[in-house]
Amino acid sequence: MGFIGSLIVGWVIFPMVLYSKQAQPMNFDHALHMDPERVFGIDGDTETERCLFCHAFRDDGTFAGIPKLENCTQCHDDPDMPLGESEEEQAFLNEYVADEKEIPWLSYYRQPDCVYFSHIAHVNMGQMECGVCHGDHGQSEILPPYEENRLTGYSRMIWGKRISGFKENTWDRMKMDDCAECHTEKGQEQNNACFVCHK
């Protein structure tokens, strides 16, 4: 019983206590926006190009990350004229567009402050698809809750869903070992040097 109890505490209860859950301020349907048959105005022939339409690179090559409201209002510019019929869009128009207020998104993929990560080096130079690190997030219809490690303050997407650290897919975790593994597989071992990522 003691062994079983320890397993339950370690594998079930501990993760529940370690991570807090918080809903995003509103839902965002990635699948809808990535579908050129249903949404017009988001350019791109490939999935990566359509991701980059909203999650763009700035002129200096840095990654803009989560889009600002000004990106959304390129299409959703009139609170009185929604493009669809969903309650979510109308709430977005009323609460954020009408008041010109930024959406306080919670970032699933923010790395620790000591980590430097260049999206443009991986996407443009490395020719990597977004899904290698982000899985099918671009095809999700409902945003998952944001889970934050109560000790470190970082998202569970960084450590990984499993408390054991075991992973099946490249997008299951975003830890240093995962970066090094990918660099090695692609013959880029020189990028495993400490100061490539820790500036």
Side-chain angles (χ1 to χ4, degrees), residues 14-38:
F14 177 65
M16 293 170 63
V17 174
L18 182 60
Y19 291 99
S20 64
K21 285 187 179 181
Q22 187 175 348
Q24 292 285 0
M26 58 172 280
N27 188 43
F28 181 83
D29 189 339
H30 278 95
L32 172 67
H33 288 80
M34 291 288 283
D35 186 349
E37 299 294 324
R38 294 190 290 166

Side-chain angles (χ1 to χ4, degrees), residues 175-193:
K175 297 176 69 178
M176 184 174 70
D177 289 348
D178 304 304
C179 300
E181 180 181 299
C182 190
H183 291 158
T184 301
E185 286 178 358
K186 294 182 179 299
Q188 301 292 324
E189 293 92 339
Q190 72 279 8
N191 290 328
N192 291 338

Side-chain angles (χ1 to χ4, degrees), residues 55-88:
H55 300 278
F57 294 118
R58 302 184 184 94
D59 291 339
D60 65 358
T62 58
F63 185 60
I66 297 175
K68 298 290 187 184
L69 184 67
E70 64 183 11
N71 298 93
C72 306
T73 55
Q74 290 178 28
C75 297
H76 304 273
D77 60 343
D78 188 342
D80 296 323
M81 295 186 65
L83 301 179
E85 299 177 349
S86 72
E87 294 180 5
E88 290 173 343

Side-chain angles (χ1 to χ4, degrees), residues 2-19 156 159 161-165:
F3 178 69
I4 295 174
S6 297
L7 287 178
I8 293 173
V9 170
W11 295 96
V12 179
I13 297 177
F14 177 65
M16 293 170 63
V17 174
L18 182 60
Y19 291 99
R156 192 170 189 173
W159 178 270
K161 285 290 181 185
R162 295 186 178 91
I163 199 74
S164 66

Side-chain angles (χ1 to χ4, degrees), residues 64-118:
I66 297 175
K68 298 290 187 184
L69 184 67
E70 64 183 11
N71 298 93
C72 306
T73 55
Q74 290 178 28
C75 297
H76 304 273
D77 60 343
D78 188 342
D80 296 323
M81 295 186 65
L83 301 179
E85 299 177 349
S86 72
E87 294 180 5
E88 290 173 343
E89 185 194 7
Q90 191 59 61
F92 160 66
L93 292 170
N94 294 340
E95 187 171 348
Y96 297 103
V97 175
D99 293 341
E100 298 181 8
K101 186 172 71 175
E102 291 291 341
I103 306 168
W105 296 115
L106 300 165
S107 175
Y108 299 114
Y109 301 108
R110 184 173 65 87
Q111 285 286 335
D113 295 338
C114 61
V115 176
Y116 169 78
F117 179 84
S118 170

